[in-house]
Amino acid sequence: MFSGIKKYFSSLKGLLVLLAAVPSILFVVTSLMLSNTYTEKVNKLEVSQSIFDLVVASTEVIAVLQVERGTSASHVAGGAKYELVLKKRQAVDKKLIVLKEELSKMETPHEHFEVVESHIQKLPAYRKDVQDKKGKGQILKQYTGFVNALLKLQLVMANKVSDPESLIRVSILESGKENAGKLRANMSALLARNKPLSTKDIQLIVNLRAGVIASLKAPALLTSENTRQPVEEFVKSESWKEVNVVFNEMMAKSSEGEFNRDSVQFFGTISKSVNDIKGI
């Protein structure tokens, strides 16, 4: 009888100990689950940031590569001087350094990376064809192939995040806004100086304006219902029209200066454009 009672209380004691331990067990299990969930979210954020940085880098390369392509084609056709082509290449090379760094950071390389890297390796050969003044059609085809490879890279990377279209649009608009901001600073300073423009001055503002236009013409913006109309409204806006009027005047009077434009007023006008891009 006593052994039965003893066994009963031993079982009851074990049960009480178990019940007392349940909250602690649940806490540990819940903590592990939350920790794993948090870690997964952090990892996803880190991956998304890496992808975002890669998309931004490729967008910036596209902008300057398009300028080099146009300048190279013009040179082969007897237009732009070769010295100008060399300066355009410097801008591309600087952006390529960043792009290659971002590509190397990706933990799971995509097969399309090899396509982009192949174009990077072949770029010196493309440029040699420009120097030798090979056919303009061939040169345009080579550069366009490089640009298309970068555009596809953006699409490939966008498919790796939960909201790919938004990622691409944000990166494109950020690049456009940055170029517009630099264009504002440089054009305003040149208007204030009111003197003839050097080749370097011309190259700089031409490249920056081209970067803005390249962003606004990006397919990711023009095919989205959320951004197509704002982009179209921006292009037709009075502030952007005025920026282009002033730009064209500066190009026409680049050798003489005497622009006779109020640089402060222009700064306000182009600032409206910068803010409009931010609001798209």
Side-chain angles (χ1 to χ4, degrees), residues 30 49 78 111 167 190 245:
T30 302
Q49 183 62 49
E111 58 183 10
L167 175 65
L190 293 171
V245 167

Side-chain angles (χ1 to χ4, degrees), residues 49-102:
Q49 183 62 49
S50 297
I51 292 174
F52 179 84
D53 292 340
L54 179 56
V55 170
V56 169
S58 63
T59 298
E60 293 182 348
V61 171
I62 289 172
V64 292
L65 189 62
Q66 289 172 328
V67 175
E68 181 183 336
R69 176 183 58 186
T71 308
S72 298
S74 174
H75 170 69
V76 172
K81 294 182 179 180
Y82 190 62
E83 290 75 13
L84 183 58
V85 175
L86 293 177
K87 290 181 178 180
K88 303 300 182 185
R89 292 177 180 177
Q90 292 175 357
V92 173
D93 291 340
K94 289 179 181 179
K95 298 298 183 181
L96 281 176
I97 292 173
V98 179
L99 176 63
K100 287 187 283 189
E101 288 177 351
E102 295 303 332

Side-chain angles (χ1 to χ4, degrees), residues 233-277:
E233 291 176 352
F234 172 83
V235 173
K236 297 177 183 178
S237 67
E238 292 302 319
S239 59
W240 184 241
K241 286 181 180 179
E242 181 64 15
V243 169
N244 284 289
V245 167
V246 176
F247 176 86
N248 290 330
E249 286 181 2
M250 293 177 71
M251 293 298 101
K253 298 180 179 180
S254 60
S255 60
E256 56 193 81
E258 299 299 329
F259 307 116
N260 296 322
R261 285 273 185 173
D262 187 328
S263 62
V264 176
Q265 182 178 355
F266 174 77
F267 190 93
T269 300
I270 194 170
S271 291
K272 176 68 165 57
S273 292
V274 174
N275 292 332
D276 286 344
I277 294 176

Side-chain angles (χ1 to χ4, degrees), residues 68 71-73 75-76 82 85-86 89 123-135 139 142-143:
E68 181 183 336
T71 308
S72 298
H75 170 69
V76 172
Y82 190 62
V85 175
L86 293 177
R89 292 177 180 177
L123 186 57
Y126 301 163
R127 290 170 169 176
K128 182 66 166 55
D129 287 345
V130 174
Q131 183 178 351
D132 296 340
K133 292 196 172 182
K134 296 286 182 69
I139 290 169
Q142 291 170 338
Y143 277 93

